[in-house]
Structure formats: structure tokens, C-alpha cells
Amino acid sequence: MAFREKIAWLTLGSMVVAYTIYFSLLAAYFDPGLPAGPRTVQMLALFGGVTIVQVVLIIIVSAVMGYRAQREAQARPDERDRAIARRAGSIAYYVLMAGMVLVGVVMPFSEPGWRITNAALAALVIAEATRYGLIILSYRRGWHG
């Protein structure tokens, strides 16, 4: 398995776990009845905690993986790696734009601010998951743009 594919698996897996925890805890414990200030602090604390754990996990595991495969980890991306990243990024962009249209054009007329904020976060997460999923799929199937 290519080093960049391993990093994509690591990132995708950590995102799925982190944001499943975030959105599950948000649904279970978030109190929309709180005034805006405490509600915002509650959401930010949860998001900050989940994000810090995810980032630390990615840094530690990538460092270990990089140490074990130093030559491959230090290699510059070749034409295939760049083509895979370009293709995955361009498709993920359309996923992100669809989410942002929903968040910025549709939701402001019917939803409170905290739902719009979390929908925007969900759109970002879905777009990034799409990008990493396509990177993995491309390495697995041999697609390169």
C-alpha cells in the first residue's frame, strides 16, 4: 500500500470517528434552549476537544508511519499522486459547493444559527471524506485522472 494511501486511510478513519462522536454528542447533549452565548461555548468546547484529539492522533500515527517508511514518506508526489489528488479535489469541490448552497442559500430562511453552523461543518466533513475516499479508491483501483 502506498504511503499516501495509508495517510488517506488514517485521515478518513480519524475524521469518521471524530465527527461521528461530535455529531452524536451534539445530538445527545446539546441544549438548543440555552441562550446563544452558553450554547456557542458548549458547541465550541465539544468541537475543540474532538478536533484536538483527531489532530494529535493524526500527527502521532503519521510520524510513526513516516519513521517506518522514511524513504517513501520523504518522496515527492509523482505524476500519478498529483493526478489522483487533483481528481479527488475537484470532485470534492462540487460536494462542498452543494453543501454550501444548502447552508448559505436555503437554510438561513428556516433554521437557527447553530444548525446552519453545524450544517456547514457537516458539508466540510462530507467534502473532505469524499476527497480522501476518492484518493483511497484511486490508489486501490489504479485510477489516475
Side-chain angles (χ1 to χ4, degrees):
M1 184 182 309
F3 181 75
R4 285 178 178 74
E5 181 185 354
K6 290 177 186 176
I7 294 298
W9 274 111
L10 168 65
T11 308
L12 179 62
S14 69
M15 282 178 57
V16 167
V17 170
Y19 292 107
T20 297
I21 290 170
Y22 172 78
F23 287 114
S24 297
L25 289 175
L26 190 71
Y29 298 109
F30 182 71
D31 184 4
L34 286 175
R39 185 173 54 229
T40 303
V41 170
Q42 185 183 36
M43 274 180 18
L44 285 175
L46 178 58
F47 176 71
V50 167
T51 302
I52 288 170
V53 170
Q54 178 195 12
V55 168
V56 168
L57 175 71
I58 288 174
I59 289 171
I60 291 171
V61 175
S62 341
V64 169
M65 287 171 34
Y67 180 75
R68 295 174 117 190
Q70 289 179 7
R71 182 184 234 170
E72 194 178 358
Q74 293 172 355
R76 289 184 166 201
D78 61 13
E79 183 70 27
R80 176 179 179 234
D81 297 324
R82 288 190 299 271
I84 287 171
R86 205 172 27 250
R87 179 177 177 272
S90 63
I91 293 170
Y93 172 79
Y94 290 108
V95 173
L96 178 61
M97 287 300 101
M100 290 300 111
V101 166
L102 176 68
V103 168
V105 177
V106 176
M107 290 182 77
F109 297 105
S110 62
E111 300 296 332
W114 66 271
R115 282 201 179 138
I116 295 171
T117 301
N118 282 294
L121 176 60
L124 289 168
V125 169
I126 292 166
E128 279 297 288
T130 300
R131 184 168 77 92
Y132 286 111
L134 287 170
I135 288 171
I136 291 165
L137 189 63
S138 295
Y139 279 110
R140 291 271 122 193
R141 300 255 173 123
W143 297 339
H144 53 274

